[in-house]
Amino acid sequence: MIDTLPGPTALPFAVQLKTFADQEGRFQPKLCGLRLIETAQDNGLRMTVKLREFEVKDLLSLTRFFGFSSETFSLAVSMLDRFLAVMKIQPKHLSCVGLCCFYIAIKSSEEEKNVPLANDLIRISQNRFTVSDMMRMEKIILEKLNWKVKAPTALHFLRLFHARIQEQVNGDSKKVLDLDRLEAQLKACHCCFAFSKVKPSLLALALLALEIHEEYEYSSAEGLLEALQEIQQHLGVKDGDLSCVRELVAKCLVEYSSTRCSRPNSQRLRWIISGRTARQLKHSYYKIAHLPTIPESAC
């Protein structure tokens, strides 16, 4: 049975925070596995940081194209990092792993009527494997994650913290923190491998801290810092740790917004499913060789 998180409730902030905080440690990617990815040479035989980041950007393209929720994307990234941290996969299998994590997240987070067929998802993402390959990989992923799918992600914490701060402040201060903007920034951070090693709660807190401190340079956002510090105390986060991750977030956002950054190419996706292209597709397009057998050796 797939493990899930409890849905939104009217529980007090402290209770919700404790529930998420108690669970986040159990869903963190294994550091030993992440370090292997970090130190791997780019020789086409091992998973690398660059390959992982490219895959997440592709998933972000698909999320935007289909109009799926931020929750779907964050959950897919969480599962991908957790799986990569326990399995030594070859680069040629990465696109199948990534799309399977994405598909599991879609089925866990989206309404049933919005869940695409696996065959359509493969075609639109322009991947070269079959539905049977995908179903086989999905089973491997679920088994290796012990069927624990719905982890408390940074998005859960971000929304919880944002709601708490909004309760604590008045007037113009409520308008300072735009949740849509914060969620967009979080998606950019998900594309950076460095945040795979950061606790979701700390990443969410750092995003809010960066936004609040930047606002303080231009106006006195009354009560925002106090509300942020209250959450920090609840989490037991040290000032130095928060400052370090906040600087990492700032650097990531600058790089992501620069012209040098390799961003997701949604235009590529629009082309493949245009009406004219769809009508011209031949049956042979789907007759693709199966993937090689995937070794199930853990880290």
Side-chain angles (χ1 to χ4, degrees), residues 169-205:
V169 299
N170 299 308
D172 291 339
S173 294
K174 285 184 176 288
K175 303 175 185 177
V176 170
L177 298 176
D178 183 278
L179 186 57
D180 288 338
R181 172 179 162 84
L182 288 164
E183 289 188 11
Q185 292 174 342
L186 175 59
K187 289 174 183 175
C189 290
H190 279 323
C191 294
C192 178
F193 177 82
F195 295 106
S196 301
K197 298 183 291 184
V198 176
K199 279 189 174 183
S201 57
L202 180 52
L203 174 54
L205 193 67

Side-chain angles (χ1 to χ4, degrees), residues 189 192 194-195 197-199 202-207 209-210 213 232 237-253:
C189 290
C192 178
F195 295 106
K197 298 183 291 184
V198 176
K199 279 189 174 183
L202 180 52
L203 174 54
L205 193 67
L207 278 162
L210 179 64
H213 280 79
Q232 183 182 346
V237 172
K238 297 178 180 178
D239 290 339
D241 292 338
L242 179 57
S243 178
C244 180
V245 177
R246 191 182 76 196
E247 290 177 10
L248 197 60
V249 169
K251 181 182 177 183
C252 169
L253 297 180

Side-chain angles (χ1 to χ4, degrees), residues 83-250:
F83 184 75
L84 294 180
V86 296
M87 293 292 291
K88 293 180 180 178
I89 73 164
Q90 297 180 32
K92 62 186 175 184
H93 294 128
L94 179 59
S95 59
C96 187
V97 171
L99 198 65
C100 284
C101 289
F102 187 60
Y103 199 39
I104 295 168
I106 292 169
K107 291 185 284 186
S108 301
S109 304
E110 302 291 335
E111 292 184 25
E112 187 175 352
K113 64 180 181 181
N114 295 328
V115 177
L117 296 174
N119 196 49
D120 290 338
L121 197 58
I122 293 170
R123 177 170 62 92
I124 291 167
S125 62
Q126 300 186 45
N127 278 303
R128 298 188 63 81
F129 46 79
T130 66
V131 172
S132 61
D133 291 326
M134 193 169 165
M135 296 303 101
R136 182 163 54 93
M137 181 66 80
E138 184 175 332
K139 183 174 182 292
I140 292 171
I141 292 171
L142 289 172
E143 287 176 350
K144 295 303 176 183
L145 298 184
N146 297 314
W147 296 83
K148 296 182 182 296
V149 172
K150 282 206 167 183
T153 65
L155 181 67
H156 288 110
F157 286 103
L158 182 63
R159 289 175 174 174
L160 180 63
F161 297 165
H162 179 269
R164 178 62 174 177
I165 291 174
Q166 293 297 87
E167 290 175 359
Q168 301 295 308
V169 299
N170 299 308
D172 291 339
S173 294
K174 285 184 176 288
K175 303 175 185 177
V176 170
L177 298 176
D178 183 278
L179 186 57
D180 288 338
R181 172 179 162 84
L182 288 164
E183 289 188 11
Q185 292 174 342
L186 175 59
K187 289 174 183 175
C189 290
H190 279 323
C191 294
C192 178
F193 177 82
F195 295 106
S196 301
K197 298 183 291 184
V198 176
K199 279 189 174 183
S201 57
L202 180 52
L203 174 54
L205 193 67
L207 278 162
L208 287 163
L210 179 64
E211 197 79 349
I212 290 172
H213 280 79
E214 286 186 350
E215 179 63 25
Y216 253 74
E217 293 181 9
Y218 304 101
S219 63
S220 57
E222 185 179 354
L224 286 172
L225 272 179
E226 290 83 354
L228 180 75
Q229 288 166 354
E230 181 211 28
I231 296 172
Q232 183 182 346
Q233 290 173 358
H234 271 291
L235 289 172
V237 172
K238 297 178 180 178
D239 290 339
D241 292 338
L242 179 57
S243 178
C244 180
V245 177
R246 191 182 76 196
E247 290 177 10
L248 197 60
V249 169

Side-chain angles (χ1 to χ4, degrees), residues 39-48 51 91:
T39 57
Q41 295 182 351
D42 191 6
N43 56 12
L45 301 176
R46 294 283 304 276
M47 180 54 50
T48 64
L51 288 171

